[in-house]
């Protein structure tokens, strides 16, 4: 595997981590998101920009964690998955039948 391909695979994986984290905790700030997925804020910034540009996530009301208990600094902006755009449907088939749940995870690499 080439180095460029490896970098692309890591980026796609990280984009999916970010989308899954936002799906699990809508309204998370970038700081909360970085902690949840185990990335530095600097590594998270271009990923979030990529998702915002493609309409896969959208800002929400201000999140409280970046302002801190003293109210100092810029208020954090929460993020959430924007379900109005691209979507995929995952179907899980097993002994107990099948279930489906709409997801947009696969769209992150586009």
């Amino acid at each position: 595997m080439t180095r460029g391909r490896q970098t692309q695979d890591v980026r796609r994986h990280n984009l999916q981590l970010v989308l899954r984290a936002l799906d699990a905790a809508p309204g998370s700030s970038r700081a909360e998101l970085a902690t949840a997925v185990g990335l530095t804020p600097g590594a998270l910034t271009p990923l979030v920009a990529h998702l915002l540009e493609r309409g896969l996530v959208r800002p929400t009301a201000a999140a409280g964690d970046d302002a801190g208990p003293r109210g100092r600094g810029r208020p954090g902006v929460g993020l959430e998955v924007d379900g109005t755009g691209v979507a995929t449907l995952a179907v899980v088939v097993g002994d107990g039948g099948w279930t489906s749940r709409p997801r947009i995870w696969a769209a992150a690499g586009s």
Side-chain angles (χ1 to χ4, degrees):
M1 186 180 296
T2 66
R3 183 163 158 68
R5 176 72 178 163
Q6 288 174 331
T7 301
Q8 185 180 19
D9 288 346
V10 169
R11 180 175 170 84
R12 182 174 291 122
H13 173 76
N14 287 341
L15 287 165
Q16 290 175 356
L17 286 176
V18 171
L19 284 173
R20 286 181 181 139
L22 282 175
D23 186 47
S28 295
S29 70
R30 285 170 177 81
E32 292 169 329
L33 202 50
T35 300
V37 298
L39 296 172
T40 65
L44 184 75
T45 297
L47 298 173
V48 169
H50 177 87
L51 296 171
L52 285 165
E53 287 171 7
R54 282 155 182 78
L56 297 174
V57 300
R58 63 180 171 220
T60 63
D65 77 312
D66 288 323
R70 297 175 308 276
R72 298 177 64 187
R74 233 177 7 171
V77 175
L79 298 167
E80 67 183 2
V81 173
D82 186 348
T84 62
V86 178
T88 62
L89 178 65
V91 177
V92 179
V93 180
D95 292 336
W98 64 277
T99 61
S100 65
R101 186 169 179 201
R103 290 288 191 225
I104 69 160
W105 302 337
S110 39

